[in-house]
Structures are given as structure tokens and as C-alpha cells.
């Protein structure tokens, strides 16, 4: 009887002993940390590419301008193009007033961003295409203020809800070399008695002037009542050379300020009419359509 029991126990004890020998000899059990595989240390670009949407605090904080200046032009360009292609927040329901292609713009209809009368929309850059403005006014009952100084059309009322202004959006108050009347957003809102009104949607399509107008809006506080913002961002136009490192850094600073102001990208779209082959070999575009909603706690809603 005893022999039979030993016959069963001895193989079991040998198995346990072998397991202990393997565990103790493993580098994970060693007191010497040099044998333990090290976690990969990712650079800023890798963090942007790999972090999930929920990790906004880590994902969206761009390197400081001083840090960017210390990087190569190639690395800074990659950070810019990765940033403008990254979604920062979700919108469950989107519509596209205006044309399905060029001329239309996407709008988030999730509460509290949903358009419904009474609502107020500002639209900069028309170029004789009122399809977006007409849909916003006629389908959703919004009052729309449309701006374009280049059409050689005077101020007028289009239908019952659209007010057209022969004025352009700018960072300063000037009459430019084309004879166009240019004003800042804060000045325009003041002219229309809308400085303290909720702006449900601000659309900007002004062919590179957004680079100068947007920083002024942040600085002046004229975006404080804006719930939704969509604009074309031109980092490069036409046959211009690849943007310099300084221009990429300036473009990133625009996005940094908008992010700090509470705006989050819910959709981004490459305008392939502006595509080009980068000096670094990849196909890129010099223009992105950027769609943003502002975090609710940052919006100063006006009753």
C-alpha cells in the first residue's frame, strides 16, 4: 500500500520541483533589474498616434513651441499633419447642409449643439454659393449673417433670414489693397449687437486669412459664445513650397489656442484639391476642413 502511494506522490513532487527551478532561474524573478525587459519610451508623435480617444489630457497636449523649435522640420511637419487628422471627440449625428461636395459643411446635431429656431449662424466666405446658408436658414429657421467682400455685391437681405454683408473677416480693421472693407469678428458682432448673443455655428472659408483671424478671435474673446466652429485651414496653397518649420509651428499654435479655449475636433477632412507630394516623399494636402464643437462647460450660453 505504501509503495503504491509513493508511486503517485514522487512524480507530483518532481513536477513541483522542476517548476520552482524554472521560475527562480527566470529574469523576471531575479533581483537584478537589468534582466527585465524595459517599457518602450515613446516620443510625442507616437503618443499622439497611439493614445485612445478617452485619454484627452495626454493625447491632445502638443509640445511647447520651444520644444517644437528644437525639432527638425520633418518631425514638426509630421506632428502637424497627424494632429489635423485626429478626431478628439465624438458626434453621433451629423448633417451636411449645402452641396454634397464643395459648398456644403458638416454640422453636429447632438444636444446641445442641435440647430433649431431661434438660432444664429455666421458664415464667412460665400463666393456666390449660398447653398449652405440657404439650407441653414430655410430648413432650421436660423438667422444667418453671410460675409464676402470679393463678390462685388452690396449689403442686402436674402429672403427673410439671411443678411449679406460686403465685408471680410480679418485680424485688423482695414480697407485692404483690393478696396475691401475688413473687420475683426469682435467688431462685426458689435456692429450687429451680437456681442453677448449665443452663436450656434461659425463657418469660416476665407482662403488662408483664417491663420490670422482665428488667433485674434481667441485673444479678443469673441469666441466665448460660439458653440460650433468649422473652417478650412490652409497651411499651404497651390504651388507654394513645403511650409517652413516656423509656419507649421504657427499653425499648431492656432490649434493649441482653440483646444485651450474648449474646442474639440469631431470631424476632419482632407481637401484633395490641395494635395501635393511632400519633400519627404509622402502625399499630403495643404488644406483641411476642420469641424469643432466646444465643450459645454466652456460655452457661455446666453438665454
Amino acid at each position: 500500500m505504501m509503495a503504491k502511494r509513493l508511486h503517485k506522490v514522487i512524480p507530483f513532487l518532481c513536477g513541483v520541483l522542476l517548476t520552482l527551478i524554472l521560475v527562480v532561474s527566470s529574469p523576471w524573478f531575479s533581483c537584478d533589474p537589468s534582466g527585465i525587459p524595459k517599457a518602450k519610451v515613446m516620443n510625442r508623435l507616437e503618443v499622439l498616434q497611439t493614445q485612445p480617444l478617452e485619454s484627452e489630457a495626454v493625447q491632445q497636449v502638443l509640445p511647447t513651441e520651444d520644444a517644437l523649435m528644437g525639432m527638425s522640420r520633418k518631425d514638426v511637419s509630421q506632428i502637424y499633419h497627424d494632429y489635423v487628422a485626429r478626431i478628439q471627440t465624438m458626434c453621433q449625428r451629423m448633417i451636411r447642409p449645402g452641396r454634397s461636395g464643395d459648398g456644403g459643411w458638416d454640422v453636429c446635431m447632438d444636444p446641445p449643439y442641435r440647430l433649431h429656431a431661434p438660432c444664429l449662424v455666421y458664415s464667412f466666405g460665400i463666393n456666390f454659393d449660398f447653398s449652405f446658408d440657404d439650407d441653414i436658414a430655410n430648413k432650421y429657421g436660423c438667422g444667418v449673417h453671410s460675409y464676402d467682400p470679393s463678390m462685388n455685391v452690396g449689403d442686402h437681405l436674402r429672403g427673410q433670414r439671411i443678411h449679406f454683408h460686403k465685408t471680410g473677416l480679418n485680424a485688423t480693421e482695414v480697407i485692404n489693397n483690393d478696396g475691401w472693407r475688413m473687420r475683426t469678428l469682435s467688431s462685426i458682432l458689435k456692429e450687429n449687437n451680437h456681442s453677448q448673443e449665443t452663436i450656434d455655428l461659425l463657418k469660416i472659408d476665407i482662403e488662408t486669412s483664417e491663420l490670422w483671424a482665428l488667433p485674434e478671435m481667441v485673444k479678443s474673446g469673441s469666441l466665448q459664445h460660439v458653440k460650433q466652429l468649422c473652417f478650412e485651414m490652409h497651411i499651404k496653397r497651390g504651388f507654394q513650397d513645403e511650409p517652413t518649420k516656423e509656419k507649421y509651428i504657427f499653425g499648431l499654435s492656432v490649434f493649441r489656442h482653440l483646444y485651450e479655449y474648449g474646442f474639440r475636433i469631431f470631424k476632419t477632412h482632407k481637401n484633395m484639391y490641395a494635395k501635393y507630394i511632400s519633400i519627404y516623399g509622402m502625399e499630403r494636402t495643404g488644406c483641411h476642413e476642420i469641424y469643432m464643437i466646444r465643450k459645454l462647460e466652456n460655452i457661455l450660453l446666453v438665454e
Side-chain angles (χ1 to χ4, degrees), residues 41-301:
V41 179
M42 294 190 294
N43 60 33
R44 178 59 207 153
L45 179 56
E46 290 173 313
V47 171
L48 279 172
Q49 292 172 331
T50 59
Q51 286 295 320
L53 287 175
E54 291 77 10
S55 302
E56 280 197 351
V58 176
Q59 171 199 334
Q60 302 304 339
V61 178
L62 288 165
T64 65
E65 292 190 20
D66 286 342
L68 289 169
M69 286 300 296
M71 298 180 187
S72 69
R73 180 185 180 189
K74 181 179 180 181
D75 286 347
V76 173
S77 73
Q78 191 62 53
I79 289 174
Y80 175 88
H81 285 281
D82 283 346
Y83 192 88
V84 295
R86 183 83 180 189
I87 302 302
Q88 299 170 343
T89 192
M90 300 303 295
C91 174
Q92 299 298 324
R93 180 171 179 243
M94 281 183 271
I95 60 171
R96 188 173 179 85
R99 302 181 189 276
S100 58
D102 193 34
W105 291 81
D106 292 305
V107 177
C108 182
M109 293 294 279
D110 291 351
Y113 308 103
R114 181 171 61 91
L115 297 179
H116 57 86
C119 42
L120 180 60
V121 173
Y122 272 77
S123 176
F124 292 94
I126 309 301
N127 194 26
F128 297 100
D129 184 352
F130 283 93
S131 60
F132 175 79
D133 305 58
D134 286 342
D135 276 356
I136 290 292
N138 298 331
K139 293 182 179 180
Y140 302 99
C142 297
V144 181
H145 286 263
S146 309
Y147 285 77
D148 197 319
S150 69
M151 294 166 48
N152 199 28
V153 176
D155 294 2
H156 65 276
L157 185 63
R158 180 182 174 87
Q160 295 182 340
R161 299 188 181 93
I162 301 176
H163 302 262
F164 178 80
H165 307 263
K166 189 184 177 182
T167 298
L169 183 63
N170 197 40
T172 57
E173 317 275 318
V174 296
I175 302 296
N176 69 10
N177 294 334
D178 294 309
W180 300 345
R181 181 178 184 265
M182 309 297 290
R183 293 291 182 269
T184 63
L185 179 62
S186 55
S187 176
I188 286 170
L189 294 177
K190 187 175 181 180
E191 288 176 354
N192 296 330
N193 294 318
H194 289 158
S195 296
Q196 299 301 317
E197 296 292 326
T198 297
I199 310 299
D200 293 273
L201 174 63
L202 172 60
K203 184 221 84 179
I204 302 172
D205 184 4
I206 54 177
E207 307 302 323
T208 73
S209 292
E210 72 280 350
L211 284 166
W212 324 116
L214 284 167
E216 190 282 330
M217 295 178 200
V218 172
K219 184 178 179 179
S220 67
S222 54
L223 292 175
Q224 64 180 332
H225 301 301
V226 175
K227 295 168 65 176
Q228 198 162 168
L229 171 66
C230 55
F231 61 96
E232 274 195 341
M233 183 66 165
H234 300 81
I235 200 67
K236 176 185 178 301
R237 287 198 68 191
F239 296 102
Q240 291 177 344
D241 294 335
E242 180 96 19
T244 63
K245 181 171 75 172
E246 288 73 21
K247 188 170 184 180
Y248 275 126
I249 291 174
F250 184 80
L252 286 169
S253 73
V254 173
F255 284 106
R256 184 202 309 280
H257 294 320
L258 289 173
Y259 187 88
E260 291 171 348
Y261 216 74
F263 287 99
R264 302 290 184 268
I265 300 173
F266 70 86
K267 182 177 179 180
T268 175
H269 172 71
K270 293 180 179 180
N271 186 331
M272 297 312 293
Y273 288 108
K275 69 179 179 180
Y276 67 98
I277 301 300
S278 169
I279 59 175
Y280 304 113
M282 67 285 285
E283 182 179 86
R284 286 174 167 170
T285 179
C287 176
H288 289 78
E289 291 178 10
I290 305 294
Y291 299 88
M292 292 179 156
I293 50 179
R294 195 160 178 225
K295 294 175 68 175
L296 183 60
E297 60 267 29
N298 295 103
I299 304 171
L300 294 181
L301 297 176

Side-chain angles (χ1 to χ4, degrees), residues 1-14:
M1 181 69 70
M2 181 66 68
K4 289 183 179 179
R5 289 181 178 177
L6 289 174
H7 179 72
K8 292 180 180 179
V9 170
I10 289 173
F12 172 76
L13 292 175
C14 289

